[in-house]
Amino acid sequence: MESNVTATLLDGAPRVRRPRGLVTEIVESLAASIRAGQLQPGDKLPTEAEIMARFDVSRTVVRESISKLQASGLVETRHGIGTFVIENRDAGNFKIAAADFATVADVISVLELRISLETEAAGLAAQRRTTENLEAMATALRAFQDSIHADSDAVPPDFQFHMEVARATGNRHFADLMTYLGTMIIPRTRVNTPQSAPEGRLSYLQRVNSEHENIYNAIRSQDAEAARAAMRTHLSNSRERLRRGQAFEPANPPATS
C-alpha cells in the first residue's frame, strides 16, 4: 500500500516553483491527502528521499514540512521507523468531520460558512491574483468540463477550483482552511444533487461550471466586487438547490482530489 500511496500523493502536473512556498506546497499536498482519507491513521508517509525526489526539494525543506504536520497534530515521527498519520486527539480544536455532514441541513450549514469565507476570498483573489494563479484556475475549469463529458461527478476539479481561488488570495490561511475541509465540502459528495436535479445531470454540472467561469472572469478582470458577487451567487445557488428538497443519500467516503 505504501508505494501506491506515494504515487497517489506525489504524482501530478508540473508545479510552479515558489522559493518561499515549497514547505507550504508539501504540507498542503500531504495534509489534503490525510483530510481526504487517502492516508488513514497508522499509515506511513513516503520517506524523506521519496518526497525530496518527487517535489525536487532539499532534505531541510522536507523536514520543516514534516515538523509543520507534526505541529498540526496530523503525524508523528517514530525515530528509526518513519513518520505515521495519527488520530487528532485534541477534541477542543475547531473541526468539521464527516459526521457533521449527516443531513442536508448539515451540508447547508457548511455552505453558509463557506459563503462568508469564500466570498471575501474571491474579492482578495481579484486584487492579488498572479498569472500563475489564473493558469491554475483555468486548468481546474478545463478539468471540470472534461469530467462532465466523462460521466464523472466532477468533484475533484470542483474542489480544486475553489482551492485555487483560496491560494490566489495570497493569504495562506484561506488555503489552509480549504485543505483542512477537503473535498467533503462539495455537496455532491454527500447529496446526489446532479442525478436528482430537474434539468438532469449534464445541465446541472454545466450550470455549476458556468458559475465557476463567472468567478474566474471577475478575478481575471481584477474586479473585486464582481468576484465577490459571483462567488456569493454560486454558493447561494448551491444552498438553494439543496433547500428545494434534494433527496439525501447515505454519506459516501469523501471523494479524492
Side-chain angles (χ1 to χ4, degrees), residues 43-99:
D43 286 346
K44 185 178 180 181
L45 293 189
T47 66
E48 286 185 357
E50 288 171 331
I51 298 175
M52 288 168 60
R54 294 287 183 168
F55 286 91
D56 190 23
V57 296
S58 68
R59 190 176 300 275
T60 299
V61 169
V62 173
R63 289 182 174 176
E64 184 177 348
S65 302
I66 297 300
S67 293
K68 286 184 177 294
L69 290 170
Q70 289 172 333
S72 299
L74 295 175
V75 303
E76 66 178 4
T77 298
R78 303 170 192 169
H79 294 291
I81 302 176
T83 301
F84 296 82
V85 179
I86 59 175
E87 293 277 7
N88 188 346
R89 300 181 181 86
D90 191 354
N93 286 342
F94 168 82
K95 64 179 180 179
I96 299 179

Side-chain angles (χ1 to χ4, degrees), residues 27-254:
V27 170
E28 285 181 358
S29 177
L30 294 174
S33 296
I34 293 171
R35 301 297 189 196
Q38 289 176 308
L39 281 170
Q40 299 289 330
D43 286 346
K44 185 178 180 181
L45 293 189
T47 66
E48 286 185 357
E50 288 171 331
I51 298 175
M52 288 168 60
R54 294 287 183 168
F55 286 91
D56 190 23
V57 296
S58 68
R59 190 176 300 275
T60 299
V61 169
V62 173
R63 289 182 174 176
E64 184 177 348
S65 302
I66 297 300
S67 293
K68 286 184 177 294
L69 290 170
Q70 289 172 333
S72 299
L74 295 175
V75 303
E76 66 178 4
T77 298
R78 303 170 192 169
H79 294 291
I81 302 176
T83 301
F84 296 82
V85 179
I86 59 175
E87 293 277 7
N88 188 346
R89 300 181 181 86
D90 191 354
N93 286 342
F94 168 82
K95 64 179 180 179
I96 299 179
D100 297 310
F101 291 84
T103 68
V104 170
D106 292 334
V107 177
I108 290 173
S109 293
V110 174
L111 271 172
E112 290 175 346
L113 174 64
R114 291 180 62 197
I115 289 170
S116 63
L117 292 171
E118 292 192 62
T119 295
E120 184 58 24
L124 292 174
Q127 296 168 7
R128 302 172 182 175
R129 95 293 187 277
T130 65
T131 300
E132 290 77 11
N133 292 141
L134 291 176
E135 290 174 352
M137 284 182 235
T139 297
L141 288 173
R142 289 192 296 270
F144 194 114
Q145 192 63 38
D146 291 342
S147 294
I148 292 175
H149 296 299
D151 199 29
S152 163
D153 62 10
V155 166
D158 192 335
F159 175 74
Q160 192 61 36
F161 177 77
H162 286 274
M163 172 63 84
E164 297 303 340
V165 172
R167 286 179 175 142
T169 66
N171 180 335
R172 69 175 180 83
H173 297 297
F174 282 99
D176 286 350
L177 180 58
M178 292 297 289
T179 297
Y180 167 73
L181 293 173
T183 56
M184 66 182 177
I185 65 171
I186 306 300
R188 293 192 302 285
T189 63
R190 319 314 264 175
V191 182
N192 194 0
T193 38
Q195 296 302 332
S196 55
E199 68 270 41
R201 173 194 163 276
L202 182 61
S203 295
Y204 170 86
L205 291 177
Q206 286 177 333
R207 180 149 50 91
V208 171
N209 203 37
S210 178
E211 291 171 4
H212 284 175
E213 290 173 348
N214 291 338
I215 298 167
Y216 169 79
N217 288 333
I219 291 174
R220 183 182 60 183
S221 300
Q222 296 188 294
D223 188 334
E225 288 308 310
R228 290 187 183 98
M231 181 65 81
R232 177 175 290 277
T233 296
H234 170 53
L235 295 177
S236 295
N237 284 347
S238 294
R239 179 181 59 185
E240 293 312 308
R241 285 189 281 265
L242 290 172
R243 281 178 172 172
R244 285 197 295 266
Q246 299 296 343
F248 178 74
E249 295 193 349
N252 296 317

